[in-house]
PDB file of all heavy atoms in Angstrom:
ATOM      1  N   MET A  23    -219.496-104.273 111.882  1.00  0.00           N
ATOM      2  CA  MET A  23    -219.228-105.460 111.052  1.00  0.00           C
ATOM      3  C   MET A  23    -218.024-106.235 111.605  1.00  0.00           C
ATOM      4  O   MET A  23    -216.981-105.623 111.900  1.00  0.00           O
ATOM      5  CB  MET A  23    -218.990-104.999 109.601  1.00  0.00           C
ATOM      6  CG  MET A  23    -218.570-106.119 108.711  1.00  0.00           C
ATOM      7  SD  MET A  23    -218.592-105.727 106.979  1.00  0.00           S
ATOM      8  CE  MET A  23    -220.316-105.533 106.660  1.00  0.00           C
ATOM      9  N   THR A  44    -224.011-101.768 102.135  1.00  0.00           N
ATOM     10  CA  THR A  44    -223.090-102.842 102.529  1.00  0.00           C
ATOM     11  C   THR A  44    -221.640-102.456 102.111  1.00  0.00           C
ATOM     12  O   THR A  44    -220.715-102.655 102.869  1.00  0.00           O
ATOM     13  CB  THR A  44    -223.463-104.151 101.844  1.00  0.00           C
ATOM     14  OG1 THR A  44    -224.868-104.338 102.031  1.00  0.00           O
ATOM     15  CG2 THR A  44    -222.736-105.320 102.472  1.00  0.00           C
ATOM     16  N   VAL A  61    -206.103-108.892 103.279  1.00  0.00           N
ATOM     17  CA  VAL A  61    -206.839-109.983 102.622  1.00  0.00           C
ATOM     18  C   VAL A  61    -207.595-109.455 101.397  1.00  0.00           C
ATOM     19  O   VAL A  61    -207.579-110.089 100.358  1.00  0.00           O
ATOM     20  CB  VAL A  61    -207.828-110.583 103.644  1.00  0.00           C
ATOM     21  CG1 VAL A  61    -208.853-111.469 102.932  1.00  0.00           C
ATOM     22  CG2 VAL A  61    -207.101-111.378 104.686  1.00  0.00           C
ATOM     23  N   TYR A  72    -206.705-114.266  87.802  1.00  0.00           N
ATOM     24  CA  TYR A  72    -207.643-115.245  87.178  1.00  0.00           C
ATOM     25  C   TYR A  72    -208.392-114.603  86.026  1.00  0.00           C
ATOM     26  O   TYR A  72    -208.632-115.277  85.019  1.00  0.00           O
ATOM     27  CB  TYR A  72    -208.602-115.776  88.236  1.00  0.00           C
ATOM     28  CG  TYR A  72    -208.095-116.983  88.927  1.00  0.00           C
ATOM     29  CD1 TYR A  72    -207.402-116.845  90.155  1.00  0.00           C
ATOM     30  CD2 TYR A  72    -208.210-118.241  88.366  1.00  0.00           C
ATOM     31  CE1 TYR A  72    -206.864-117.908  90.777  1.00  0.00           C
ATOM     32  CE2 TYR A  72    -207.678-119.331  89.034  1.00  0.00           C
ATOM     33  CZ  TYR A  72    -206.997-119.186  90.227  1.00  0.00           C
ATOM     34  OH  TYR A  72    -206.501-120.240  90.827  1.00  0.00           O
ATOM     35  N   ARG A  87    -210.092-122.189 100.524  1.00  0.00           N
ATOM     36  CA  ARG A  87    -208.769-122.189 101.200  1.00  0.00           C
ATOM     37  C   ARG A  87    -208.386-120.829 101.655  1.00  0.00           C
ATOM     38  O   ARG A  87    -207.872-120.626 102.769  1.00  0.00           O
ATOM     39  CB  ARG A  87    -207.714-122.748 100.217  1.00  0.00           C
ATOM     40  CG  ARG A  87    -207.691-124.237 100.174  1.00  0.00           C
ATOM     41  CD  ARG A  87    -206.402-124.756  99.590  1.00  0.00           C
ATOM     42  NE  ARG A  87    -205.920-123.855  98.534  1.00  0.00           N
ATOM     43  CZ  ARG A  87    -205.586-124.286  97.322  1.00  0.00           C
ATOM     44  NH1 ARG A  87    -205.727-125.527  97.002  1.00  0.00           N
ATOM     45  NH2 ARG A  87    -205.155-123.460  96.401  1.00  0.00           N
ATOM     46  N   GLY A 101    -211.415-111.337 117.163  1.00  0.00           N
ATOM     47  CA  GLY A 101    -212.610-112.015 116.636  1.00  0.00           C
ATOM     48  C   GLY A 101    -213.144-113.008 117.664  1.00  0.00           C
ATOM     49  O   GLY A 101    -214.318-113.118 117.857  1.00  0.00           O
ATOM     50  N   PRO A 103    -212.682-113.815 121.546  1.00  0.00           N
ATOM     51  CA  PRO A 103    -212.116-113.288 122.799  1.00  0.00           C
ATOM     52  C   PRO A 103    -211.159-114.225 123.527  1.00  0.00           C
ATOM     53  O   PRO A 103    -210.006-113.847 123.683  1.00  0.00           O
ATOM     54  CB  PRO A 103    -213.342-113.055 123.663  1.00  0.00           C
ATOM     55  CG  PRO A 103    -214.451-112.826 122.677  1.00  0.00           C
ATOM     56  CD  PRO A 103    -214.103-113.649 121.437  1.00  0.00           C
TER      57      PRO A 103
END
Side-chain angles (χ1 to χ4, degrees):
M23 174 168 292
T44 313
V61 166
Y72 272 94
R87 279 200 322 236

